[in-house]
């Protein structure tokens, strides 16, 4: 993976353009996500472990919004069940190109099929594990329920859906505290106040967090009777839901 440092928001770039998963972002992506999302580097290998537990023989694993394939790679190395295929999907051409390069010679015995597609247009079939690792937050709010419904419909009994997200909080004081702590984390990672502010502006209408109650209600409605928050660091959480 590229180890180029993320300096994208160190000047005024973000004032003129919104955030896009383009070539510039792809070049710095591993550094950007590790320094921006507290816990990302722990969540990825844990997704591997969770997939090992819930992957069923002769089924498919989906990594939706796979970026450079970190979660797919973790699952490919961790899962032991036989007859599994990982389908990794992203709609950024730059991401998919780099993802394919990254995964050459790296994945485990489980093949990873990387596809350039919009996750709103795909079929989910015979799935035992589906991962949305910080992806759902980038979809329009009105598109989320139908995607989770389709995942539910294409999932086997006992299958697991893992959803990692940045969430927001109903309590105004908690929201303020969580934002402060996240910014403290970013400062500790070497981002300047200007970079933090610019990135925040760029993501304003692109990353739309929801409350935990909204996520749980959507899962219920889609036919996932049981779900848990298995990870949280500040406003970054990961849920697991069972079919
Ligand atoms: C990881 N999961 O490293 N269809 C397909 N892909 C999409 C769509 C869509 N409609 N919308 C956004 N994306 C990864 C990290 S990053 C999270 C996921 C972040 C893709 C988008 O192109 C990007 O690659 C990814 O979702 C979100 O485990 O940057 O904070």
């Amino acid at each position: 993976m590229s180890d180029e440092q993320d300096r994208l928001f160190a000047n005024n770039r973000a004032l003129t353009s919104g955030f896009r998963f383009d070539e510039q972002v792809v070049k710095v992506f591993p550094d950007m996500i590790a320094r921006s999302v507290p816990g990302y580097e722990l969540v990825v290998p844990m997704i591997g472990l969770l997939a090992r537990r819930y992957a069923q023989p002769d089924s498919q694993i989906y990594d939706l919004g796979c970026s450079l394939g970190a979660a797919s790679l973790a699952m490919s190395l961790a899962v032991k069940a036989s007859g599994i295929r990982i389908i990794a999907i992203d709609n950024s051409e730059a991401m998919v190109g780099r993802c394919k390069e990254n995964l050459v010679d790296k994945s485990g015995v489980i093949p990873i099929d990387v596809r350039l597609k919009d996750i709103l247009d795909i079929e989910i079939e015979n799935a035992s594990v589906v991962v949305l690792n910080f992806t759902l937050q980038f979809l329009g709010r009105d598109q989320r329920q139908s995607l989770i419904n389709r995942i539910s419909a294409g999932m086997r009994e006992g299958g697991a859906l893992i959803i990692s997200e940045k969430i927001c909080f109903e309590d105004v004081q908690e929201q303020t505290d969580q934002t402060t702590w996240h910014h403290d984390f970013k400062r500790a990672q070497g981002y300047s106040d200007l970079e933090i502010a610019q990135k925040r502006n760029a993501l304003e209408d692109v990353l739309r967090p929801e409350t935990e109650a909204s996520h749980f209600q959507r899962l219920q409605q889609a036919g996932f009777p049981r779900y848990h928050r298995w990870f949280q660091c500040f406003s970054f959480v990961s849920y697991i839901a069972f079919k």
Side-chain angles (χ1 to χ4, degrees):
M1 288 208 177
S2 161
D3 52 7
E4 210 170 302
Q5 207 195 10
D6 170 25
R7 302 284 299 153
L8 290 185
F9 293 91
N11 54 39
N12 282 344
R13 176 187 193 267
L15 294 179
T16 51
S17 63
F19 188 85
R20 280 187 306 274
F21 291 99
D22 57 15
E23 197 63 54
Q24 270 182 297
V25 167
V26 167
K27 273 193 195 149
V28 299
F29 187 75
D31 179 71
M32 171 186 273
I33 195 154
R35 288 166 63 222
S36 305
V37 176
Y40 172 81
E41 286 175 308
L42 178 61
V43 166
V44 168
M46 293 308 117
I47 287 176
L49 274 193
L50 292 169
R52 176 187 295 180
R53 173 149 299 276
Y54 298 108
Q56 299 176 16
D58 303 313
S59 70
Q60 312 207 95
I61 294 179
Y62 288 85
D63 180 7
L64 305 179
C66 61
S67 297
L68 300 183
S72 288
L73 185 58
M75 293 190 285
S76 158
L77 296 169
V79 169
K80 303 290 180 216
S82 61
I84 302 273
R85 177 168 66 142
I86 298 175
I87 301 171
I89 297 172
D90 205 286
N91 68 347
S92 155
E93 211 172 329
M95 280 290 185
V96 165
R98 183 64 71 91
C99 180
K100 285 181 177 168
E101 285 170 24
N102 275 347
L103 294 179
V104 171
D105 299 334
K106 274 206 196 132
S107 57
V109 283
I110 296 179
I112 305 174
D113 179 358
V114 184
R115 299 181 187 169
L116 175 63
K117 278 218 162 27
D118 194 313
I119 58 172
L120 297 173
D121 298 334
I122 56 151
E123 288 287 314
I124 305 283
E125 289 170 323
N126 188 26
S128 59
V129 176
V130 178
V131 173
L132 282 159
N133 198 34
F134 302 108
T135 303
L136 194 66
Q137 59 196 13
F138 292 106
L139 302 184
R141 286 209 182 90
D142 56 346
Q143 299 169 316
R144 298 178 190 185
Q145 185 70 57
S146 68
L147 174 64
I148 302 300
N149 291 349
R150 272 190 295 119
I151 292 171
S152 174
M155 193 168 245
R156 287 193 184 182
E157 286 304 307
L161 167 61
I162 298 165
I163 304 182
S164 310
E165 287 277 289
K166 180 178 189 181
I167 60 166
C168 59
F169 300 87
E170 273 153 35
D171 183 89
V172 176
Q173 186 58 54
E174 180 169 17
Q175 182 62 61
T176 304
D177 290 341
Q178 294 283 5
T179 304
T180 303
W181 302 331
H182 180 217
H183 290 178
D184 284 345
F185 170 82
K186 292 191 76 166
R187 257 177 235 114
Q189 297 296 314
Y191 284 116
S192 68
D193 288 345
L194 176 69
E195 286 174 297
I196 294 170
Q198 305 247 54
K199 175 95 178 272
R200 199 178 184 191
N201 282 345
L203 285 175
E204 185 78 37
D205 292 321
V206 179
L207 191 168
R208 301 179 200 88
E210 292 174 296
T211 60
E212 182 160 276
S214 309
H215 284 290
F216 285 173
Q217 196 186 347
R218 179 177 299 121
L219 289 167
Q220 272 284 356
Q221 203 178 316
F224 290 96
R226 196 162 69 85
Y227 38 79
H228 310 291
R229 179 181 354 103
W230 64 269
F231 173 86
Q232 177 163 12
C233 185
F234 306 141
S235 45
F236 295 82
V237 301
S238 192
Y239 304 118
I240 186 162
F242 297 101
K243 188 71 204 295

